[in-house]
Amino acid sequence: MITVLGAGAFGTALAISLSRSGPVTLWARDGDHASEMALTRDNARRLPGVTLPETITVTPDLGSLAPGSPVLLAVPMQQLRGLLKEFGAALGNSRPVACCKGMELETGLGPCRIIEELVPGAQPAILTGPSFAGDIARGLPTALTLACAEPELGRELQQELTTPNIRVYRTTDTIGAELGGALKNVIAIACGAAMGAGLGESARAALMTRGFAEMNRMAVALGARADTLAGLSGFGDLVLTCTSEQSRNTRFGMALGREEAFDAGITVEGSATARAVETRAAALGLEMPITQAVSGLIDRRLGVGEAMEMLLSRPLREE
């Protein structure tokens, strides 16, 4: 039995896809939300228009987990620590798999490191890559990366989490997979801001390219492999997130570029991650000019024109 913690759009989509291969438990913190989904077989609040198969059990009660069962943690990155503080003991005999992307604002840690800290004895994994919840839920083909430092556990999870429409690739580089998913959100905000301000697709292409260089710079400095960033969890996710308005980070950036308000109820992982990355980069002595510009935009220290002027006026150099 696979359990998905988090009944947001992505958690619901994963549960739907996984339920095509067997029973799945979908946990929702809000009891009313869980009852509503169980009754209507629809997650109208987060992923409307997609029917929940009868093989999904929706519940607000985590209950007891079967020893060794996969548990997918599909909650926003900044809520992961709180969830694990509450349920870490119950997860001790399971196989936790992070499905969130980002860097914790207070500590600069990624999800696998937080799981290691709060679930003693756990060997964490992360499932990440270019994917939109709606595509997964509708059965459209998607490829993801499963990163786990322990190779045999990684092979087991790869088999269990592959579905008719999700092809899972495997790596042992958890640091690279974490950082690819986190850093691409920051670059997506920058690209969205450029498009929102009417700076054009050439500017977006430049930001994606130089942003990818920034992603590699930090990832390698923190011990990741460059080839991981060139794969689904880095380059692949960057392309999807920066080029589609389905991306919340891109839409948030577009609102910044247009100087419009953005719905505070929508989770934008790249916002907190940009601040965390800026702090971490400064401590490591890394140049991350796009990240610094995004952080300045979010904090209203910079306007889009000032941010672009700052980037364009940097010293000329070889690529």
Side-chain angles (χ1 to χ4, degrees), residues 210 213-221 286-289 317:
R210 297 313 306 161
E214 282 194 20
M215 290 169 60
N216 273 280
R217 195 177 303 136
M218 170 164 270
V220 171
L286 297 175
E287 287 191 54
M288 304 279 284
R317 51 179 290 182

Side-chain angles (χ1 to χ4, degrees):
M1 170 75 76
I2 295 176
T3 299
V4 179
L5 299 190
F10 195 64
T12 302
L14 286 173
I16 290 171
S17 183
L18 290 163
S19 73
R20 297 182 179 118
S21 303
V24 174
T25 297
L26 177 61
W27 174 85
R29 180 179 294 280
D30 185 326
D32 290 339
H33 188 201
S35 298
E36 178 185 303
M37 284 189 289
L39 178 65
T40 64
R41 309 310 297 174
D42 180 78
N43 188 351
R45 300 188 191 186
R46 294 289 184 264
L47 192 64
V50 182
T51 301
L52 301 182
E54 293 299 325
T55 44
I56 295 178
T57 300
V58 186
T59 179
D61 180 15
L62 185 59
S64 59
L65 298 168
S69 62
V71 178
L72 277 56
L73 306 173
V75 297
M77 180 64 210
Q78 306 307 318
Q79 295 178 19
L80 179 61
R81 181 176 293 276
L83 179 80
L84 293 178
K85 283 183 176 179
E86 186 174 355
F87 297 116
L91 298 178
N93 294 320
S94 69
R95 289 175 290 162
V97 180
C99 299
C100 44
K101 301 173 182 179
M103 187 178 286
E104 191 174 43
L105 181 58
E106 292 80 7
T107 66
L109 296 177
C112 288
R113 306 291 87 75
I114 295 172
I115 293 170
E116 287 176 347
E117 180 182 327
L118 294 174
V119 186
Q123 179 63 67
I126 181 169
L127 186 67
T128 184
S131 52
F132 287 138
D135 292 348
I136 290 175
R138 290 194 298 274
L140 300 178
T142 302
L144 299 175
T145 294
L146 185 283
C148 181
E150 205 288 302
E152 184 56 36
L153 176 56
R155 280 188 284 270
E156 292 174 6
L157 289 169
Q158 181 184 34
Q159 292 294 323
E160 292 171 293
L161 300 180
T162 292
T163 75
N165 70 300
I166 298 178
R167 179 175 175 82
V168 178
Y169 288 83
R170 187 181 71 250
T171 180
T172 57
D173 184 8
T174 57
I175 296 174
E178 282 183 330
L179 289 171
L183 297 172
K184 60 88 185 179
N185 283 334
V186 180
I187 308 306
I189 293 174
C191 290
M195 297 303 290
L199 300 181
E201 295 187 3
S202 296
R204 177 170 62 184
L207 287 167
M208 287 176 63
T209 306
R210 297 313 306 161
F212 186 58
E214 282 194 20
M215 290 169 60
N216 273 280
R217 195 177 303 136
M218 170 164 270
V220 171
L222 291 174
R225 299 198 307 262
D227 63 325
T228 304
L229 272 292
L232 291 165
S233 61
F235 178 74
D237 214 354
L238 177 74
V239 171
L240 181 70
T241 308
C242 292
T243 58
S244 173
E245 291 185 34
Q246 288 190 66
S247 163
R248 291 167 294 181
N249 291 281
T250 292
R251 295 201 309 274
F252 175 67
M254 292 179 76
L256 288 176
R258 294 168 178 161
E259 298 184 332
E260 297 174 350
F262 190 77
D263 185 350
I266 297 176
T267 300
V268 180
E269 296 285 21
S271 180
T273 297
R275 299 183 180 99
V277 171
E278 183 180 31
T279 300
R280 194 80 182 271
L284 292 168
L286 297 175
E287 287 191 54
M288 304 279 284
I290 296 174
T291 299
Q292 291 171 347
V294 169
S295 185
L297 284 173
I298 293 169
D299 293 339
R300 307 293 181 183
R301 291 181 279 115
L302 293 173
V304 175
E306 293 173 299
M308 290 306 299
E309 182 180 352
M310 182 184 81
L311 293 173
L312 292 172
S313 63
R314 287 173 52 77
L316 299 178
R317 51 179 290 182
E318 290 186 0
E319 186 176 29

